[in-house]
Amino acid sequence: MHLARFLSALFLLLALAVPALPQSEDVSDRWYVVEDVNAGLDAPDALDRSTPRDMLAAFVDLTEAGRADLAMHMLDLSRLPEENRAALGEIRARQLSEVLFREVWLRWSSISSRPDAMIEDGANSNPMVGKPRRNISLEILEVGDRTVDIRIYRVKTEEGDPVWLFTPQTVEAIPRLYEAYGPRWFEEYLPQSLRQRLGGLRIWEWLGFPLIAGMAVLGGYIVYRIVGHVSTMFGWTPAKWLLSRAAMPLGIVAGAGLAQTLLATTISFSGPISSLVSPALIIAMVVGVAMAALRAIDAVLDKVTERYVGDIDDAQSKDERQLYTSIYAVRRIVLLITVAIGIGLVLSELNLFASLGLSLLASAGVLTVILGIAGQTVLGNILASLQIALAKPVRIGDAVLYEGNWAYVEAIFYTYLRLRTWDERRLIVPVKYFISHPFENWSMQDARMVRTFTLRLDHVADVDMLRDKFDEIARADEDVTEPGQIKTLVLGHGENGMEVTFYAMAPNPSAAWGMHARLREAMLAYIRDEHPEWWPRERVRDVSENSSKNGASTQAFD
């Protein structure tokens, strides 16, 4: 114990005796060190460039007030010629202001107000949480076949304080950005009164947006009418089927394409409108193309059905019913592929892959749980539908006995089947529920079907006479096939009679339904007219005292 105390005291004295080593602050991740900021230009002391939010707010306020001579100090002009850096700086500041206003929606709540731009939200999935930043991307814009980053970064001279500026690369790209996204030619002729801001937008934008929307709707309607009119010129041909079904989707694509063209070449709205309108137009065009493709497939599907399958019943061959089911399976596969491609195009056009990549990966587990719970029924039905399409336990046109209903499979969709009963009712059954419960498929191997009916008769009925009569009646029926399958059998008996079952085969369930009804009626008429004594009777034994002396008697009652 004393030795331990001695060693502890010794270590403490040594620690106090050794002088503290000087600690150097690592600032490589806080700012970029430069020799000078905009050499030759003296920035006013009143400019606040200490945080990203303060710098951007000052830049927007100064350019809106027409003070580009002050706003240019928010740009790193080091790559511009020093002799005319001031003049070029003012021009670049005005041009950048227009680009920001039209193409960048500055969400001030997401722009850091800390000098080190550190992300403080611990719940954020961004890997930079808790780390200082010295370089921030505000927006990525496409210019031709290339992309341009609008970035700000933090720099510090040896003597000065660190400040935030637009990067030299961004300043160099401003002329190209301005040419692509700057004011259009018609804005030069607008009066100053229409250029004033109202509710965050310029007055001419409030007037121009409904005009563009109206032109898009009108253009789409004209294309819709033209395609519909052209389709009538082809008569009943494949071209008419495809054009008539694709008229509305093509109208949607044309209207969205016209609006997109006008926004790209004629009118340039501000950032909030562009951020909402551009994705909506891209989605509309993708949806229109997808609808046109799916409607074309549906048109082909209907014509193939009409030509090769006809009415949905089991009178058609097995190959024809399988063809129709396969076409429905192709439609489902094409729909899935179309949706996947459409989502990919939208994400690609909106440059969302880069920004969503980490978030999607980080939240994949949560999304999986949410989708698994919320979409369990829908996803289960879709998978069951694909299972039917591949395994084909039931096909379009098959006759089935489902929960006591004789019906034909009229259609197989993603989430449900539509069954048509013999009395023209429609049963809508979820696919997952359908394949999870037993059902009889009367058309699985062969459309031929044996139908039976049972009559309860008295024991005195002559079975051989019944067998001969049924054979005679069945052979005379037009829907009875394979006479060898005509049978009359006693399958049960009891105190009050016996059960006689009659068998006959028909070419398909539709014919079998009427056949067995006719045969039943004929046998009932034969017994009624020729042998009414064969009807079942209830027998009562008399066990009274008088009858007991003479032996018990039995009486039969009809």
Side-chain angles (χ1 to χ4, degrees), residues 380-392:
N381 282 318
I382 292 177
L383 293 177
S385 176
L386 293 177
Q387 178 184 347
I388 289 180
L390 296 176
K392 294 184 176 63

Side-chain angles (χ1 to χ4, degrees), residues 265-280:
T265 60
T266 306
I267 297 179
S268 178
F269 288 115
S270 61
I273 294 183
S274 298
S275 300
L276 297 176
V277 173
S278 295

Side-chain angles (χ1 to χ4, degrees), residues 167-464:
T167 64
Q169 295 81 3
T170 299
V171 174
E172 284 187 329
I174 288 176
R176 289 184 290 135
L177 292 172
Y178 184 77
E179 183 178 357
Y181 301 105
R184 305 307 181 191
W185 58 269
F186 77 94
E187 295 186 43
E188 299 179 1
Y189 303 97
L190 292 177
Q192 187 63 32
S193 59
L194 295 180
R195 301 183 186 183
Q196 302 298 321
R197 290 198 181 189
L198 177 63
L201 303 177
R202 293 172 180 171
I203 296 178
W204 69 264
E205 292 182 292
W206 291 105
L207 303 176
F209 181 73
L211 179 63
I212 294 296
M215 293 176 63
V217 172
L218 179 61
Y221 178 75
I222 292 174
V223 171
Y224 166 75
R225 297 291 297 179
I226 291 175
V227 174
H229 177 71
V230 171
S231 66
T232 61
M233 301 170 59
F234 288 94
W236 292 102
T237 61
K240 176 181 176 58
W241 311 334
L242 299 178
L243 289 176
S244 60
R245 294 293 186 90
M248 188 179 72
L250 290 178
I252 294 176
V253 174
L258 175 61
Q260 187 75 2
T261 302
L262 291 174
L263 292 177
T265 60
T266 306
I267 297 179
S268 178
F269 288 115
S270 61
I273 294 183
S274 298
S275 300
L276 297 176
V277 173
S278 295
L281 294 177
I282 293 173
I283 293 173
M285 287 188 286
V286 172
V287 170
V289 173
M291 287 179 59
L294 293 177
R295 289 197 170 199
I297 294 173
D298 286 340
V300 174
L301 176 66
D302 292 340
K303 290 303 174 182
V304 169
T305 305
E306 180 182 336
R307 180 173 180 179
Y308 296 104
V309 181
D311 294 333
I312 303 299
D313 58 33
D314 53 7
Q316 305 298 329
S317 69
K318 173 183 176 182
D319 293 338
E320 290 174 342
R321 297 196 306 273
Q322 187 160 338
L323 171 64
Y324 193 69
T325 306
S326 299
I327 293 174
Y328 260 81
V330 170
R331 182 186 184 276
R332 288 191 286 272
I333 294 173
V334 171
L335 178 59
L336 288 176
I337 295 175
T338 303
V339 170
I341 294 176
I343 293 175
L345 288 175
V346 170
L347 294 178
S348 177
E349 289 294 328
L350 300 180
N351 295 319
L352 293 181
F353 280 119
S355 59
L356 290 181
L358 292 174
S359 299
L360 289 179
L361 289 175
S363 58
V366 177
L367 287 176
T368 301
V369 174
I370 294 175
L371 292 176
I373 296 175
Q376 182 178 6
T377 301
V378 175
L379 293 176
N381 282 318
I382 292 177
L383 293 177
S385 176
L386 293 177
Q387 178 184 347
I388 289 180
L390 296 176
K392 294 184 176 63
V394 65
R395 297 156 301 189
I396 306 297
D398 280 359
V400 297
L401 183 63
Y402 180 73
E403 295 187 347
N405 294 281
W406 169 42
Y408 289 108
V409 179
E410 195 171 45
I412 303 175
F413 297 102
Y414 269 102
T415 57
Y416 67 91
L417 287 88
R418 187 173 69 225
L419 306 179
R420 189 189 75 207
T421 63
W422 64 272
D423 55 355
E424 295 300 325
R425 291 179 294 117
R426 298 300 190 273
L427 300 179
I428 307 300
V429 185
V431 181
K432 186 177 179 181
Y433 180 85
F434 182 84
I435 65 173
S436 299
H437 294 77
F439 62 92
E440 294 183 22
N441 188 337
W442 293 348
S443 309
M444 173 63 80
Q445 297 296 333
D446 197 334
R448 295 180 301 170
M449 183 177 185
V450 174
R451 291 289 296 187
T452 67
F453 63 92
T454 300
L455 298 181
R456 183 181 293 276
L457 302 174
D458 194 81
H459 286 292
V460 301
D462 191 329
V463 177
D464 289 333

